[in-house]
Amino acid sequence: MTITLVSFTKRGGLICSKITNRLRESGHHAIGYSKYESQCLLLLKDKLYDFTKTAFDKSKGIVFIGAVGIAVRAIAPFIYSKDKDPAVIVVDEAGKYIIPILSGHLGGGNEIANEIADILKGQVVITTATDINNKFAVDVWATKNNLHIENVENIKYISAAILNNEKIGFYCDYPVEGLIPSFFTNLNMEIGICICDYMGKKPDNINKKFDKTLIMRPKRFFVGIGCRKGIDSEKLEEFFIEVLDEMNIPKYLVSNIATIDIKKEERSIVNLCCKYGYLLKTYTSQQLREVKGEFTSSEFVKNNVGVDNVCERAAYLASNNGNLILRKRVKNKITIAIAVYEWRCSF
């Protein structure tokens, strides 16, 4: 996860350095800034408004080391919706309290806060109702199940019903694993959850069962990409959208972009992931070579990167050996392949 951190005092800078380094060690792409010179942090040169705007566009999480008031004023102009906004966490400059203030569930703010608390041995201050009452949080569950929530405005109905110990309708197009919570029922209810397939299905029959329906669809698709160095970002995005449209796959149901590790900083691929919020998975040439199966082979690609195919092998590997539903497509020195895995609903 890309996480941007910023501190405003020298004492806060020490906390910022510690968090940044530890988040990097745990696999996050963490970038720390400070208002004061520091060997471990970048110097905060932009105005806070410009800095925050960039962080909202480029990061999945933002951590302010300082007062809550500073963070609230900084993020206020950029807040859009709970399914689009990054997680925002505030840490006091003594590292005593860690407070998620935005996107605690869908954005993973509560999870990041707990991770920071472990680093600092501090106290997380959680205010989301389902958490403090130890209740099922449907948006957290959706994130863990890699589900896209189509109508986030209906989350409030589900959460309110759970907090009031009411029954909730449940319908799923896919196999279900684990013990279904006792508050779910397949009976006609006022409020319900519908997990639909990806083909743009409108659950009209479900709407007859549930007056207020929370619609979710699994993000089952993994896109493998290969390209020549320095490919224009607009060309890559244009080809990417063209292929998805042809396959009737909504952009929001793509789970990850996958490629070879030497492309992990390729600007066009990074920009695509940042724009649509995709996680970028990268693999070494050896990992790609070891994937079993039949793939479109290219001697040119093999001579250049050490493996005969990047896009198909990367998509297949990222999907945990799923099914290749689109083999290598080539355009403007870009290759794209798509794999899908057999998603299951898990409790």
Side-chain angles (χ1 to χ4, degrees):
M1 179 185 288
T2 300
I3 302 175
T4 300
L5 303 93
V6 61
S7 57
F8 306 100
T9 65
K10 291 182 178 179
R11 187 182 185 189
L14 297 175
I15 296 294
C16 188
S17 294
K18 184 174 183 178
I19 300 172
T20 300
N21 290 332
R22 290 288 297 278
L23 288 177
R24 287 172 181 167
E25 290 173 4
S26 63
H28 294 288
H29 179 57
I31 308 171
Y33 292 83
S34 174
K35 204 171 181 180
Y36 296 89
E37 293 281 356
S38 170
Q39 290 184 343
C40 302
L41 304 172
L42 299 174
L43 186 64
L44 179 62
K45 297 179 180 180
D46 295 336
K47 292 181 179 179
L48 187 56
Y49 177 94
D50 297 324
F51 171 85
T52 308
K53 184 178 187 303
T54 300
F56 254 68
D57 292 338
K58 302 293 185 182
S59 306
K60 299 293 286 183
I62 307 172
V63 180
F64 290 87
I65 292 88
V68 171
I70 294 174
V72 170
R73 289 185 174 87
I75 68 175
F78 311 110
I79 296 174
Y80 180 69
S81 68
K82 65 192 306 177
D83 60 327
K84 298 290 192 301
D85 297 330
V88 178
I89 298 95
V90 178
V91 180
D92 71 89
E93 68 168 32
K96 188 175 181 181
Y97 298 109
I98 301 93
I99 313 166
I101 62 171
L102 190 69
S103 296
H105 283 169
L106 283 180
N110 292 357
E111 188 175 344
I112 298 171
N114 281 311
E115 193 169 351
I116 293 174
D118 287 340
I119 294 170
L120 301 177
K121 307 304 178 188
Q123 180 179 339
V124 180
V125 181
I126 301 291
T127 58
T128 41
T130 49
D131 293 277
I132 62 175
N133 287 286
N134 293 316
K135 297 285 189 177
F136 178 86
V138 67
D139 38 6
V140 172
W141 175 79
T143 299
K144 289 180 178 178
N145 273 269
N146 208 21
L147 285 161
H148 169 77
I149 299 178
E150 193 165 291
N151 51 345
V152 294
E153 66 275 8
N154 281 1
I155 291 175
K156 60 180 179 287
Y157 300 122
I158 305 297
S159 297
I162 291 172
L163 289 168
N164 291 328
N165 298 313
E166 298 171 0
K167 290 284 187 180
I168 298 167
F170 181 79
Y171 173 90
C172 183
D173 277 336
Y174 299 88
V176 178
E177 297 178 332
L179 184 62
I180 300 177
S182 59
F183 51 79
F184 282 133
T185 176
N186 60 1
L187 300 176
N188 292 7
M189 301 298 296
E190 179 184 359
I191 298 167
I193 289 174
C194 172
I195 302 176
C196 304
D197 64 32
Y198 80 96
M199 299 301 292
K201 174 181 177 182
K202 296 297 182 184
D204 295 332
N205 59 321
I206 303 305
N207 288 335
K208 294 175 183 177
K209 295 185 68 173
F210 313 140
D211 293 332
K212 297 182 177 70
T213 307
L214 183 67
I215 302 169
M216 296 185 276
R217 306 183 196 271
K219 295 186 280 188
R220 303 169 56 218
F221 303 94
F222 297 79
V223 179
I225 296 179
C227 66
R228 292 284 185 91
K229 184 177 181 180
I231 285 291
D232 182 73
S233 293
E234 290 185 3
K235 287 184 178 180
L236 177 61
E237 183 181 1
E238 180 183 288
F239 185 33
F240 172 76
I241 293 173
E242 177 185 313
V243 170
L244 291 187
D245 287 346
E246 178 186 327
M247 298 296 294
N248 195 26
I249 300 172
K251 293 188 291 294
Y252 56 79
L253 294 188
V254 171
S255 180
N256 302 121
I257 301 297
T259 190
I260 193 167
D261 60 350
I262 60 174
K263 294 293 181 180
K264 66 182 178 181
E265 294 182 357
E266 185 69 42
R267 183 49 47 193
S268 57
I269 296 177
V270 172
N271 287 345
L272 182 71
C273 291
C274 287
K275 182 171 182 176
Y276 295 107
Y278 300 140
L279 176 68
L280 178 61
K281 288 192 171 186
T282 61
Y283 303 98
T284 64
S285 58
Q286 181 176 342
Q287 287 175 308
L288 295 175
R289 282 197 306 271
E290 290 174 351
V291 177
K292 303 298 182 183
E294 295 184 5
F295 304 99
T296 308
S297 181
S298 167
E299 281 299 315
F300 176 81
V301 174
K302 185 176 181 179
N303 292 335
N304 278 272
V305 299
V307 61
D308 64 353
N309 181 292
V310 170
C311 63
E312 290 179 8
R313 290 176 178 272
Y316 182 77
L317 193 56
S319 68
N320 194 24
N321 303 336
N323 296 316
L324 273 175
I325 60 171
L326 179 74
R327 292 194 173 270
K328 183 171 75 171
R329 287 290 181 84
V330 184
K331 184 178 181 179
N332 293 328
K333 300 178 181 178
I334 304 164
T335 62
I336 289 180
I338 302 175
V340 61
Y341 78 107
E342 296 301 317
W343 184 88
R344 291 175 177 267
C345 178
S346 178
F347 287 99

